[in-house]
Amino acid sequence: MGRYDRSIKIAFDKTSGEILDADEVFDITKDAFQIRKKYHEKNLLLSCCECEQDLMVSGSKYDRLHFKHKPGHGYCILADGKLTPQEHERFTEILKSKESDRHKELKNKIGELLKNVPDVDVDTISIDSTFIIKEDGKRKPDVYCKFQGKELVFEIQLSDLPLSYILSRYEFYKRHGMHLIWILDNFDIHNQGTLERDIKYLTEYENFFKLDEKSNTLRLECEYKFPFLTDDNRILTKWLKKSVSLSELKFDNEVFQAFFYDFGDNKAKAEVLQKQKAEEIKESERKRLEQKKLERAERKANDLVAKIADFRKRKMLIFNAISSEVSEMNNLEIETLNKVLSFKGKITAGKPPLIKWIDEAQQNDVAFLEFILKTKEIELDINTVDDTGKTPLQAIFQNENIHKTLPILSLLQAGYELTENDNLTLSELLGRQEISVTDFHIFKICNNLTDRNLVPNAYHFSKLLFIIESARQNELIAFNFTGNKWISFANNAIQHYSEYWEYIELAFKRFGLWDRLIQLDTKATFQKKVEQFYSNIPKQEYDFDEVFNDLYPELEYTL
């Protein structure tokens, strides 16, 4: 047997109180002879430094001496055959260290100080003197006591421990409901060795303990990992140190570990705060960007308002550049523009802005009025009267300095609804011949449009609309035919509006005029024109479709 094959490297000599090193005493012939002689003379009482069971001196077939547990011995980690040669070496060093002066000093200090700790059962304190014997083995902790009804064991370590040793101690005490506290004497938290790393990751708490020898009472110096959030919302950790009493420790009854600071729990809380802060940062960034957009929109709105004022001051006849700029604005910019303009709800000297502009307008101001009315993005009180009850339409007719038709069409296109007073005014103006018959009727027709964007189209098709309205109202609208006026009217329609005859014929038939025309057509002039039309049908146009369907949904014409 080679020297590195011995499983039990050391033995305790109960007679002398010394520790015998097998690799030293058995490899020196003279010492080996003396040891063997004393053992056989029963003058040498040997025990295992780990389990304290009796050992014997045994030889191999090569006459190599070694220490060995006696037959029928109980469990001992040194005898179970599971340790590697390297682990045997380290385990032996641990056992030797347990007999060092420093090890004895620390365990005695802890044991003595425990006697004065409140809630410690003094009668239970054991300083390296009592085995904890269970069915699955036995362990002799450096210090044992009961504190607040809990069983505590203190294990003092001065050097690296094999992971198997750590786990065997930890699992044994855990199985039997005992809280294990490792007391590490010499370690560098910032340059951790195997021992520190193994103990640290055994639980989630990552607390290191050593005896606080500056205190006259039992206090442990705890170094623990502390998670924190940086200004840029990153989670970092740093090691903090605090001297704590036993009463300041918490005890985990699932993993049976004592701890002062719960790293895992506080890290989880830090992660929650990190998410909250991330949302706050996100929201703050969103608000910052919104504020930036708002400021940009305000600058754009102020620039545009200044440009509108400049165009108006210079009596510009074309506002297309500004209209185009407004049409390209986004919702925020449009909203901001209207806040800057503040036309809606505004009253100056008893007049809303629109009536004030109309009252003060000259002909070269009409372009501005049309721009304001046709720019649908600009919010304006179209239907508001002034404090005398005057409507915008009445204001237009009362202003002798401007032409009427285009401003009124623009007003209607903007969504203006004719009032009873407006209708009365139009009738009075028509009676005094201060308004043309065509304007009178087209204004009324445009007022009936659902989609006011179609006002220009309706004005363009005014003659065609007068034909259909004549059929609908059973009265000639804007036509002055005499004699057999309905036949003259119908002949005019089929002759001059043949490309839209499909719409006209549909209206004539649905409104009941067709049969009447046949009765009135005593000379068959109309019927001949119809026959001629169908013998050589001209190409039909359908650009009237939107206006027709909007005004006469009951006649809706589909292609």
Side-chain angles (χ1 to χ4, degrees), residues 285-456:
E285 178 64 12
R286 184 189 66 79
K287 289 181 178 179
R288 186 188 70 81
L289 291 175
E290 281 191 357
Q291 181 61 29
K292 190 174 180 180
K293 289 178 181 177
L294 178 59
E295 291 171 357
R296 187 165 55 244
E298 287 173 345
R299 287 195 300 270
K300 190 170 184 178
N302 286 318
D303 290 344
L304 195 58
V305 169
K307 189 180 293 186
I308 293 171
D310 178 63
F311 272 43
R312 187 183 178 198
K313 181 179 179 182
R314 292 192 288 137
K315 308 294 184 181
M316 299 290 287
L317 299 179
I318 299 176
F319 281 73
N320 291 350
I322 298 178
S323 298
S324 177
E325 193 171 341
V326 173
S327 68
E328 293 177 358
M329 294 177 109
N330 58 40
N331 291 339
L332 175 63
E333 291 169 340
I334 292 171
E335 181 182 349
T336 306
L337 174 63
N338 282 300
K339 285 182 180 178
V340 174
L341 291 171
S342 65
F343 291 154
K344 201 162 183 64
K346 183 178 181 180
I347 299 292
T348 305
K351 298 179 181 181
L354 180 58
I355 292 181
K356 184 174 182 296
W357 294 329
I358 294 172
D359 286 348
E360 298 173 353
Q362 299 292 321
Q363 183 57 36
N364 53 15
D365 292 314
V366 171
F368 167 72
L369 290 175
E370 291 189 355
F371 158 73
I372 287 293
L373 290 169
K374 289 182 177 180
T375 306
K376 60 182 180 299
E377 292 85 1
I378 294 179
E379 295 177 355
L380 200 62
D381 292 320
I382 301 294
N383 294 284
T384 302
V385 300
D386 68 8
D387 58 357
T388 68
K390 181 173 63 178
T391 69
L393 182 135
Q394 289 172 326
I396 291 173
F397 280 108
Q398 289 177 17
N399 188 335
E400 297 179 355
N401 299 314
I402 61 175
H403 299 309
K404 320 302 183 188
T405 304
L406 292 181
I408 292 176
L409 289 174
S410 297
L411 185 67
L412 291 166
Q413 185 175 349
Y416 182 75
E417 297 285 344
L418 294 179
T419 67
E420 290 184 11
N421 286 338
D422 288 331
N423 288 323
L424 181 60
T425 296
L426 289 173
S427 295
E428 291 174 350
L429 291 170
L430 181 63
R432 296 196 300 265
Q433 297 183 345
E434 294 178 16
I435 183 176
S436 69
V437 174
T438 55
D439 278 356
F440 175 85
H441 287 290
I442 197 62
F443 294 159
K444 297 256 189 172
I445 291 172
C446 288
N447 189 62
N448 292 330
L449 281 167
T450 302
D451 182 0
R452 292 301 183 88
N453 291 317
L454 296 175
V455 165

Side-chain angles (χ1 to χ4, degrees), residues 66-92:
H66 58 278
F67 296 129
K68 183 179 180 181
H69 284 82
K70 289 185 176 180
H73 67 86
Y75 174 81
C76 179
I77 192 171
L78 296 177
D80 68 0
K82 294 181 180 180
L83 296 178
T84 66
Q86 183 180 13
E87 288 175 329
H88 270 293
E89 290 290 337
R90 292 177 64 191
F91 212 105
T92 300

Side-chain angles (χ1 to χ4, degrees), residues 51-262:
C51 66
E52 295 192 6
Q53 297 180 82
D54 290 340
L55 295 180
M56 56 185 291
V57 175
S58 178
S60 68
K61 63 180 180 180
Y62 301 107
D63 203 24
R64 299 291 177 88
L65 300 180
H66 58 278
F67 296 129
K68 183 179 180 181
H69 284 82
K70 289 185 176 180
H73 67 86
Y75 174 81
C76 179
I77 192 171
L78 296 177
D80 68 0
K82 294 181 180 180
L83 296 178
T84 66
Q86 183 180 13
E87 288 175 329
H88 270 293
E89 290 290 337
R90 292 177 64 191
F91 212 105
T92 300
E93 293 300 318
I94 295 167
L95 296 176
K96 286 181 180 179
S97 71
K98 284 181 174 291
E99 299 304 318
S100 70
D101 292 338
R102 178 59 177 164
H103 195 277
K104 292 175 182 177
E105 177 189 9
L106 286 174
K107 64 186 177 184
N108 285 320
K109 277 186 178 180
I110 292 171
E112 289 301 317
L113 290 172
L114 279 170
K115 294 177 182 178
N116 296 315
V117 174
D119 296 327
V120 167
D121 184 347
V122 176
D123 295 336
T124 64
I125 298 173
S126 169
I127 305 173
D128 195 25
S129 60
T130 303
F131 271 100
I132 297 172
I133 301 174
K134 302 294 180 179
E135 66 279 359
D136 57 347
K138 63 180 183 177
R139 297 290 186 276
K140 184 173 68 172
D142 290 325
V143 182
Y144 169 90
C145 73
K146 286 187 178 181
F147 170 69
Q148 296 179 345
K150 301 178 182 67
E151 292 185 87
L152 306 187
V153 292
F154 297 84
E155 291 282 4
I156 299 166
Q157 295 305 328
L158 308 182
S159 59
D160 280 358
L161 299 173
L163 182 57
S164 57
Y165 179 87
I166 294 172
L167 289 174
S168 69
R169 286 291 191 272
Y170 168 67
E171 293 295 342
F172 179 84
Y173 294 130
K174 176 184 174 183
R175 280 195 301 274
H176 301 292
M178 301 177 189
H179 292 85
L180 170 61
I181 301 176
W182 292 100
I183 304 297
L184 307 178
D185 192 41
N186 297 310
F187 68 97
D188 182 356
I189 202 68
H190 302 294
N191 187 25
Q192 297 174 20
T194 304
L195 170 61
E196 290 87 356
R197 288 194 299 272
D198 287 343
I199 291 177
K200 178 178 70 175
Y201 292 113
L202 200 59
T203 71
E204 62 188 47
Y205 304 111
E206 300 196 32
N207 289 194
F208 288 123
F209 296 102
K210 65 183 297 185
L211 182 63
D212 184 354
E213 296 181 80
K214 297 177 183 177
S215 174
N216 294 324
T217 59
L218 180 65
R219 298 187 71 84
L220 300 178
E221 195 175 86
C222 175
E223 290 195 57
Y224 57 92
K225 187 184 285 188
F226 177 79
F228 63 96
L229 283 180
T230 62
D231 290 340
D232 58 352
N233 204 34
R234 291 183 299 136
I235 294 181
L236 299 180
T237 58
K238 60 183 176 181
W239 288 95
L240 299 181
K241 183 185 296 185
K242 183 176 175 63
S243 179
V244 298
S245 63
L246 278 187
S247 62
E248 293 178 273
L249 297 183
K250 303 176 185 66
F251 297 90
D252 187 325
N253 290 322
E254 291 186 5
V255 296
F256 288 92
Q257 289 285 309
F259 63 95
F260 168 70
Y261 184 81
D262 188 338

